[in-house]
Amino acid sequence: MSHNATFLQAAQASQGALTRGWLAFPAPSADAPVPELVAQTDVAVLNLEDRLREVRLVAAPHVTVAAEALHAAVRAASDAQFDLHMQNFNSAERLCALDDVAFTRHTDAVRQGLEAFVAAAYREGVSVTATGSDRAKAARVAEAVPVNAAWLVQLSQRMPMRRIPDFVAEGIDSALEALQRDVIDFVDPELEAAHQGFMEALARLVDEINGTFTPDHDAAYTEVPPEWRRTDPERYAQALRDLSQARDTVLDGYKELMNVMSRRGHLPAPQEPQPGPSVRVTAGDNSPVTVNAPHAHASHGGHASAGQPAPAGQTAADTPAPWYRSGIFWGAVSAVGTVAGAVVAYLALGR
């Protein structure tokens, strides 16, 4: 692992320790030991200092400057925590509540320092590996906006936007609310840009849908008033263009976000199913066929076995490419056999 990656891991560990430290209560008295969470923060800072020495030895100057600034932000936050602890023995409030201005200032400084260091490493052309925190955040994004969400399936058909079904509007509202409620701040700059772009696209689509109208009769949709086609055709055409553009921006933003998360190793590949039980079926001539589900290689002898070497004659050229860049993902779609599966494949493919 590169010195930049180890420093980044130590910095993230320090960030986590600081967060826990801010939630600690001061000691009950001056004679009591320092709270364990505050002590753990000091240990994390010392480890970060060790990693900083490695960066100073081999990193480019601008990377070193960013690392030193990040270390300074972490050290300042740690010192602020310790000062609050020493000055407030027997307090019933947590450290973050004792000085909420300092808590916000130091937390933001550490976060900005992390972002600046990652950006500096990328400018140098150094690969910073995917971090555990980014993987966890990506999982929450995928849970908030699953690829088989009914509203996303509907939008992906790219039908005319004259009418907006209620389930589409409600689904978009729920997805945007979930993403806004969860404070997701990716360390990886490309991930953060893709995430913010997708959220902005969702917000714009919500605004456009809010400009449609509910018909007088009981209907499960809103619409661009059809009478506008006669009374104000330009307004009608512009409303449709705005809705369609907002929809396309959401779909493009989602595809970009999913592909970035996949390239960074945050999403599992669909062609990697978990081993399943063996089942016994019969072929058309009633001869037995053993299949070790869910993935198996069929042989000419009427049997199939999972986890076995590829059949003879298969070359390296037959090895599947990464799922997000290869047509092999369509195999997963046919196995699922649903419209949602087709949308998954379409959106996940990088091209």
Side-chain angles (χ1 to χ4, degrees):
M1 185 177 295
S2 72
H3 54 275
N4 288 312
T6 56
F7 178 81
L8 178 60
Q9 287 185 348
Q12 289 182 312
S14 299
Q15 186 184 38
L18 286 168
T19 300
R20 293 187 292 272
W22 284 115
L23 297 176
F25 292 97
S29 68
D31 298 330
V34 174
E36 182 180 356
L37 293 178
V38 178
Q40 289 176 355
T41 299
D42 286 339
V43 173
V45 174
L46 290 174
N47 184 52
L48 183 63
E49 289 178 354
D50 290 338
R51 303 287 78 80
L52 177 60
R53 294 188 184 97
E54 297 174 0
V55 172
R56 284 170 171 161
L57 288 173
V58 293
H62 70 279
V63 176
T64 300
V65 169
E68 290 174 341
L70 174 54
H71 170 263
V74 171
R75 167 57 73 184
S78 176
D79 290 345
Q81 286 187 5
F82 190 77
D83 289 344
L84 286 172
H85 164 73
M86 295 298 294
Q87 297 166 12
N88 295 275
F89 290 118
N90 201 28
S91 173
E93 292 187 285
R94 300 177 186 272
L95 296 182
C96 59
L98 291 171
D99 191 339
D100 56 349
V101 174
F103 163 67
T104 301
R105 183 176 70 254
H106 287 295
T107 300
D108 288 345
V110 172
R111 176 182 56 79
Q112 293 167 6
L114 270 169
E115 294 174 352
F117 173 76
V118 173
Y122 271 112
R123 286 199 301 273
E124 183 64 15
V126 177
S127 175
V128 178
T129 58
T131 65
S133 63
D134 273 359
R135 280 193 293 271
K137 296 168 190 173
R140 299 203 302 274
V141 170
E143 182 180 358
V145 192
V147 292
N148 61 348
W151 65 269
L152 195 56
V153 173
Q154 179 75 13
L155 290 182
S156 70
Q157 297 176 15
R158 299 182 189 265
M159 301 290 287
M161 299 289 286
R162 292 188 293 269
R163 291 179 176 177
I164 313 297
D166 288 347
F167 77 88
V168 171
E170 293 166 1
I172 296 171
D173 281 337
S174 297
L176 181 59
E177 181 183 355
L179 292 175
Q180 290 175 333
R181 186 172 58 248
D182 188 0
V183 181
I184 295 176
D185 208 357
F186 286 111
V187 174
D188 186 315
E190 186 179 9
L191 261 176
E192 178 64 16
H195 175 247
Q196 289 300 321
F198 177 62
M199 288 186 60
E200 291 170 4
L202 277 180
R204 179 191 168 196
L205 182 55
V206 168
D207 288 341
E208 294 296 339
I209 292 176
N210 287 341
T212 59
F213 298 83
T214 303
D216 293 336
H217 60 284
D218 185 16
Y221 63 86
T222 59
E223 65 181 358
V224 178
E227 58 270 21
W228 286 2
R229 298 181 65 177
R230 182 184 70 259
T231 61
D232 195 343
E234 180 55 35
R235 182 182 183 186
Y236 181 79
Q238 186 61 50
L240 290 182
R241 284 195 296 268
D242 291 342
L243 281 164
S244 297
Q245 180 61 51
R247 174 205 61 201
D248 292 345
T249 303
V250 165
L251 293 176
D252 292 343
Y254 185 74
K255 181 173 69 172
E256 172 66 15
L257 178 59
M258 291 297 104
N259 280 328
V260 171
M261 290 198 296
S262 179
R263 288 196 300 271
R264 293 290 186 263
H266 297 312
L267 296 180
Q271 79 269 24
E272 296 175 356
Q274 297 297 318
S278 297
V279 296
R280 190 173 182 82
V281 297
T282 57
D285 57 359
N286 287 328
S287 60
V289 179
T290 301
V291 180
N292 292 328
H295 53 297
H297 298 291
S299 65
H300 295 294
H303 298 275
S305 59
Q308 297 299 320
Q314 180 170 324
T315 65
D318 299 321
T319 303
W323 69 272
Y324 57 85
R325 286 186 281 129
S326 168
I328 193 172
F329 190 41
W330 291 106
V333 176
S334 62
V336 174
T338 64
V339 174
V343 176
V344 173
Y346 171 77
L347 293 174
L349 288 176
R351 48 185 165 182

